[in-house]
Amino acid sequence: MINEAKKYGDVIVGALSDEEIIKYNYFPTVSLENRISLYQSISGVSKVVVQRSLMYDDIIPSLKPDYVLHSDSWRNGVEFTVRAHVKELLSAYGGELIEISEPKSDEAKQFKRIHRERLAMPEFRRKRLRELIKLCPIVKIIEAHSGLTGLIAEKTVVESNGTLEQFDAMWISSLCDSIDKGKPDIELVDMSSRLRTIDDIMDVTSKPIILDGDTGGLTEHFVYNVRTLERMGVSAVIIEDKTGLKKNSLFGVDVVQTQDSIEDFSAKITAGKKAQLTDDFMIIARIESLILEQGIDDALTRARAYVKAGADGIMIHSRTETPNEIFDFCDLFRKEDQTTPLVVVPTSFNYVTEEELKSHGVNIVIYANQLMRAAFPAMTKTAETILKHHRSLEADEMLMPFKDIITLIDEL
Ligand code: SPV
Ligand code: MG
């Protein structure tokens, strides 16, 4: 591309900032600084500029290049809107777009695959969550409970309001992992089985993973599990301050649930932190005070204690229909602590936007069960339709074409 560009004049290379690369559903393995030096070292490049807008709004109007050279791959898919916008910016002053076909060689094809596979290696995947917290205004996480749902989390990209949107990471929900196995969410699905789910997902994805670690179990067991998760490349485990038979938080006080003492739960966090070997892995403490109607003061006291015990983040959970108590907690917490990452799971107050959460100091939003809740009614309706009609014709309009399912998963 650079050789081709040289034919038209001075070549300026745009290096996309890390924040914008993420929106393309890529993650940089080379720092922006090193990318800039790399491009500068290529003969024929006269200048490298940092591009801070995916839509080229910062670059084209100020540089007014005579020509923009770009790969023609953006003619299809979500990047089409970026292309349309670039053409608009160019036409404002008579600039021209030149599109170059990407090399079709095996080497070029392998390059993308190798990049993804490198990101999937434990040492890259594990630290990526911490990197994302620094880079993203809010880290967006979706639930995955299988290889297939992992692929949806990995690959889904949409164009929205003049930018591209994708999920940053995956949440291995105890609720959905249990439901997928036809079991209740009571820590019945054991760690070996949870690890198997994680492994299935890791096999086909590269995005970071947060495990819903329930109560973390016995401290004596938790320390071993921290080591295992860290070695696998999981980025974080979230453990909740409950003890005894755990029930799903969304039951609230309709079932018997016991909150752990601050001392015991803090000791579990400290033991976990001592067990881990890298600085990448995160242990996030989940506070159940609002779920168990113990009030914001109790939640704040616990947050302080858990951070002191070594927690790398706080998840505050609620099952109310409005986000008010979550906002109150976040505002008060942020008054005294501006750095510890805050995690929120807006299931019952689902009208809250990422923008609003961000404005109250939330760093990570988890969409904890939506893929499972989408799949179950669709599958049940299909089963009922086949039973009613003694054939599958009537169900067909709800299904993807069978020709598509056989090519859904790419071969290497
Ligand atoms: C899960 O997804 O399993 C959770 C979140 O723990 S919640 O179901 O809201 O308790
Ligand atoms: Mg759970």
Side-chain angles (χ1 to χ4, degrees):
M1 175 119 29
I2 288 167
N3 284 338
E4 190 59 30
K6 277 195 276 192
K7 296 179 191 162
Y8 295 86
D10 288 341
V11 179
I12 302 175
V13 171
L16 260 189
S17 68
D18 291 352
E19 289 84 348
E20 297 303 286
I21 286 187
I22 293 170
K23 294 182 185 159
Y24 271 112
N25 213 17
Y26 284 107
F27 196 82
T29 47
V30 178
S31 70
L32 178 63
E33 219 174 41
N34 287 345
R35 291 200 300 279
I36 293 172
S37 342
L38 175 72
Y39 305 148
Q40 271 165 345
S41 72
I42 300 173
S43 98
V45 173
S46 42
K47 199 168 152 194
V48 180
V49 290
V50 178
Q51 197 181 324
R52 299 192 191 281
S53 154
L54 173 100
M55 286 293 184
Y56 293 71
D57 283 311
D58 59 333
I59 289 291
I60 295 182
S62 62
L63 287 177
K64 288 203 172 54
D66 298 316
Y67 304 97
V68 167
L69 268 81
H70 196 281
S71 150
D72 65 359
S73 61
W74 66 352
R75 287 185 185 174
N76 306 310
V78 285
E79 280 181 57
F80 185 79
T81 25
V82 184
R83 177 180 185 261
H85 190 67
V86 165
K87 284 181 97 171
E88 227 172 82
L89 292 173
L90 287 171
S91 70
Y93 65 92
E96 209 181 301
L97 174 66
I98 295 169
E99 291 172 317
I100 313 268
S101 300
E102 279 198 12
K104 299 263 181 293
S105 67
D106 280 352
E107 202 187 341
K109 258 197 263 163
Q110 289 283 31
F111 177 79
K112 278 193 178 161
R113 194 176 61 79
I114 288 168
H115 177 70
R116 285 238 178 253
E117 282 182 7
R118 184 188 297 174
L119 285 173
M121 296 303 276
E123 62 273 25
F124 278 103
R125 193 193 301 248
R126 193 172 48 225
K127 67 179 178 192
R128 187 162 153 188
L129 182 66
R130 282 198 192 269
E131 293 170 343
L132 283 163
I133 293 170
K134 281 195 210 125
L135 283 173
C136 301
I138 190 158
V139 177
K140 303 178 299 253
I141 301 191
I142 184 107
E143 168 264 317
H145 54 266
S146 60
L148 183 62
T149 46
L151 279 180
I152 292 171
E154 178 83 8
K155 293 194 171 177
T156 308
V157 186
V158 296
E159 185 275 325
S160 164
N161 289 331
T163 188
L164 301 180
E165 299 284 351
Q166 47 85 49
F167 289 106
D168 300 300
M170 295 170 282
W171 164 247
I172 318 293
S173 152
S174 68
L175 175 66
C176 300
D177 202 2
S178 303
I179 289 177
D180 200 46
K181 291 165 176 68
K183 302 258 171 75
D185 181 19
I186 52 170
E187 286 185 287
L188 175 63
V189 177
D190 66 15
M191 192 48 86
S192 314
S193 176
R194 307 289 313 276
L195 295 178
R196 179 72 235 178
T197 304
I198 295 174
D199 198 42
D200 283 345
I201 294 170
M202 284 186 156
D203 238 1
V204 293
T205 62
S206 64
K207 290 188 177 178
I209 287 177
I210 300 184
L211 175 70
D212 172 1
D214 289 316
T215 65
L218 291 173
T219 301
E220 292 82 347
H221 295 175
F222 181 56
V223 289
Y224 283 92
N225 290 332
V226 164
R227 283 268 172 91
T228 307
L229 295 169
E230 190 185 19
R231 189 177 60 242
M232 286 173 85
V234 170
S235 302
V237 63
I238 298 187
I239 52 169
E240 58 194 276
D241 57 356
K242 290 204 296 238
T243 188
L245 180 64
K246 190 220 77 157
K247 296 272 175 76
N248 184 276
S249 300
L250 300 174
F251 282 121
V253 290
D254 298 343
V255 294
V256 178
Q257 308 211 55
T258 318
Q259 203 167 11
D260 204 351
S261 70
I262 294 183
E263 296 68 34
D264 289 353
F265 196 67
S266 297
K268 195 183 282 187
I269 294 166
T270 307
K273 287 307 293 175
K274 253 168 93 182
Q276 74 181 65
L277 296 175
T278 67
D279 292 332
D280 306 334
F281 190 73
M282 300 173 76
I283 297 178
I284 299 174
R286 164 171 168 177
I287 297 171
E288 292 286 287
S289 305
L290 304 181
I291 292 287
L292 301 172
E293 300 177 0
Q294 295 304 301
I296 290 205
D297 285 346
D298 184 71
L300 281 167
T301 306
R302 285 172 177 270
R304 279 179 214 117
Y306 300 160
V307 170
K308 203 162 159 219
D312 299 294
I314 293 290
M315 171 178 155
I316 182 69
H317 204 16
S318 162
R319 63 191 165 86
T320 53
E321 281 168 19
T322 74
N324 298 348
E325 61 177 15
I326 289 285
F327 287 167
D328 288 347
F329 172 89
C330 292
D331 294 345
L332 290 168
F333 182 76
R334 277 283 171 254
K335 265 193 196 152
E336 44 186 277
D337 183 330
Q338 286 83 50
T339 50
T340 305
L342 276 176
V343 184
V344 167
V345 178
T347 300
S348 60
F349 46 96
N350 60 3
Y351 64 87
V352 74
T353 62
E354 290 159 5
E355 197 60 36
E356 281 175 287
L357 290 169
K358 204 168 61 182
S359 72
H360 289 274
V362 174
N363 305 84
I364 297 180
V365 55
I366 300 180
Y367 299 98
N369 46 48
Q370 285 73 12
L371 293 185
M372 175 59 87
R373 284 164 61 204
F376 182 74
M379 290 193 285
T380 305
K381 192 156 182 232
T382 303
E384 286 170 356
T385 306
I386 295 172
L387 277 178
K388 265 189 212 148
H389 296 278
H390 302 280
R391 63 180 189 181
S392 67
L393 172 73
E394 288 73 13
D396 230 45
E397 63 188 38
M398 298 182 275
L399 311 180
M400 71 192 292
F402 73 85
K403 288 192 195 81
D404 291 355
I405 190 98
I406 54 178
T407 53
L408 185 67
I409 310 291
D410 295 332
E411 286 187 36
L412 275 185

